[in-house]
């Protein structure tokens, strides 16, 4: 907490960013450009004590898409949502996959740029930001949206702010 005892967990030939620990503490998802364009990777963690962890190996999870970023773990550590740039549509869309990179699903399409997903505490919804403009194929101002985990029920959250971005769903208050 005080910034002491820091050490490198991931060593790669490219830039490694957007790290996020799985809720069960077994994995670290991150973005790496080690093979050119940014893609999602998952590192296996070995906890040597309550405060000491090391990476035993890492694996590239995404191969589709030109630029994948901002991985977000589901509360049960079984799914990863992320934003991916689609060069064909010139948009960032949201995707979801199993924690091992299988079963890739597209959650948004042709609705502006959709980025920075965050899971609800019960794992049933995602919050994200988008610059979609209703009924028009132009990019507008970033606003917050929610959707069901399967991509259905997408709706804007009216915050009263001119622009909103980078949402994080808070913990459960159980």
């Amino acid at each position: 907490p005080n910034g002491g005892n820091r050490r490198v967990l991931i060593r790669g030939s490219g830039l490694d960013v957007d790290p996020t620990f799985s809720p069960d503490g077994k994995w670290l998802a991150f973005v790496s450009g080690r093979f050119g364009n940014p893609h999602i990777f998952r590192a296996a963690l070995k906890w040597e004590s309550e405060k000491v962890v090391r990476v035993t190996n890492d694996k590239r999870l995404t191969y589709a898409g030109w630029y994948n970023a901002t991985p977000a773990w589901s509360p049960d550590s079984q799914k990863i949502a992320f934003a991916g740039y689609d060069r064909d549509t010139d948009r960032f869309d949201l995707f979801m996959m199993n924690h091992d990179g299988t079963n890739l699903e597209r959650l948004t399409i042709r609705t502006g740029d959709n980025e920075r997903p965050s899971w609800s505490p019960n794992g049933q919804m995602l919050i994200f930001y988008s610059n979609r403009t209703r009924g028009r194929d132009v990019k507008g101002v970033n606003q917050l949206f929610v959707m069901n985990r399967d991509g259905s029920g997408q709706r804007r959250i009216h915050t009263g702010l001119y622009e909103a971005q980078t949402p994080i769903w808070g913990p459960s208050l159980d």
Side-chain angles (χ1 to χ4, degrees), residues 99-170:
H99 76 287
D100 62 0
T102 61
N103 197 29
L104 181 65
E105 299 175 59
R106 186 181 206 129
L107 302 175
T108 62
I109 188 166
R110 299 188 195 284
T111 54
D113 288 317
N114 303 281
E115 301 182 64
R116 199 55 88 160
S118 175
W119 291 86
S120 64
N122 67 4
Q124 297 304 305
M125 299 184 83
L126 289 156
I127 189 170
F128 59 100
Y129 75 87
S130 178
N131 63 5
R132 61 181 73 177
T133 302
R134 188 177 182 151
R136 298 175 51 206
D137 188 24
V138 296
K139 296 178 182 182
V141 176
N142 290 327
Q143 295 295 313
L144 300 184
F145 287 78
V146 293
M147 68 178 160
N148 298 322
R149 70 180 287 140
D150 65 359
S152 67
Q154 296 180 29
R155 61 194 179 277
R156 181 176 166 204
I157 297 175
H158 295 278
T159 62
L161 301 172
Y162 174 73
E163 182 172 350
Q165 60 185 359
T166 316
I168 300 294
W169 210 298

Side-chain angles (χ1 to χ4, degrees), residues 47-105:
W47 291 89
E48 296 173 355
S49 72
E50 186 177 297
K51 295 181 181 179
V52 178
V53 64
R54 66 182 173 88
V55 169
T56 58
N57 62 48
D58 61 55
K59 172 186 174 184
R60 182 175 171 178
L61 298 181
T62 58
Y63 290 87
W66 188 72
Y67 188 112
N68 297 310
T70 64
W73 288 96
S74 64
D76 64 2
S77 302
Q78 296 303 303
K79 299 281 187 181
I80 300 172
F82 64 95
Y85 181 74
D86 184 334
R87 291 173 76 170
D88 293 334
T89 63
D90 188 31
R91 300 283 191 265
F92 273 94
D93 278 311
L94 296 183
F95 297 84
M96 180 175 59
M97 63 184 165
N98 292 340
H99 76 287
D100 62 0
T102 61
N103 197 29
L104 181 65
E105 299 175 59

